[in-house]
Amino acid sequence: QVQLVESGGGLVQAGGSLSLSCTASGTFFGITDMGWYRQAPGQQRELVAVVENGNILNYAASVKGRSTVSRDYGKNTVLLQMNSLKPEDTAVYYCHAEVIVGGQDAPRSFWGQGTQVTVSS
C-alpha cells in the first residue's frame, strides 16, 4: 500500500514563512506528478503547486512568486516553501501523488492525511 506522510505546517504570523514536506512510502514502481493542494473551510480543494512529470512546475496564481515547490526523486519527497504568508493561506494542506503501483499500470491518485496551516493576522 502507498502512503503519503506530511510534515510541517502549524501556526504562522502573516508575513512569515513555512515549509511542508511529504514522503511517499510503500511498494510502487514510480511517481509521475507530486504536489500540494489545500482546502479552506467551506471551500473546494484547490491546487497550490505541483511538480509534474518531467520536472515541470505549476503554481496557483495566488501563491506564485512567493512559493517554491521541489522534489527529491531519490527520496520520493516533495517540498513546499511558502513565504509572505497571508491569512487567506489558512487551510488544510494535502500532499498528492500520481503513483504507478505496478510496472504496467496507469498512475493512481493518492492523498496524504492533510496538515493544518493557520496564518494569523
Side-chain angles (χ1 to χ4, degrees):
Q1 181 67 313
V2 177
Q3 284 190 317
L4 302 181
V5 179
E6 300 138 336
S7 62
L11 177 63
V12 184
Q13 284 194 329
S17 300
L18 65 79
S19 295
L20 302 178
S21 177
C22 172
T23 299
S25 63
T27 302
F28 52 89
F29 186 77
I31 298 174
T32 56
D33 303 352
M34 196 171 188
W36 294 92
Y37 287 70
R38 69 186 180 187
Q39 188 168 18
Q43 303 293 321
Q44 288 191 331
R45 193 171 297 188
E46 63 176 7
L47 172 72
V48 178
V50 62
V51 183
E52 297 178 352
N53 204 24
N55 212 37
I56 298 169
L57 309 184
N58 270 318
Y59 295 93
S62 58
V63 304
K64 197 169 187 178
R66 59 189 183 93
S67 299
T68 302
V69 65
S70 61
R71 280 176 68 174
D72 184 330
Y73 289 86
K75 295 181 179 179
N76 294 313
T77 295
V78 63
L79 305 172
L80 178 66
Q81 173 73 33
M82 295 185 68
N83 304 315
S84 303
L85 285 162
K86 307 173 183 179
E88 50 263 44
D89 292 318
T90 295
V92 178
Y93 284 68
Y94 295 91
C95 179
H96 174 260
E98 293 288 331
V99 181
I100 303 169
V101 178
Q104 303 298 321
D105 294 344
R108 289 171 51 193
S109 185
F110 289 87
W111 294 91
Q113 78 281 3
T115 184
Q116 177 70 46
V117 171
T118 303
V119 183
S120 63
S121 57

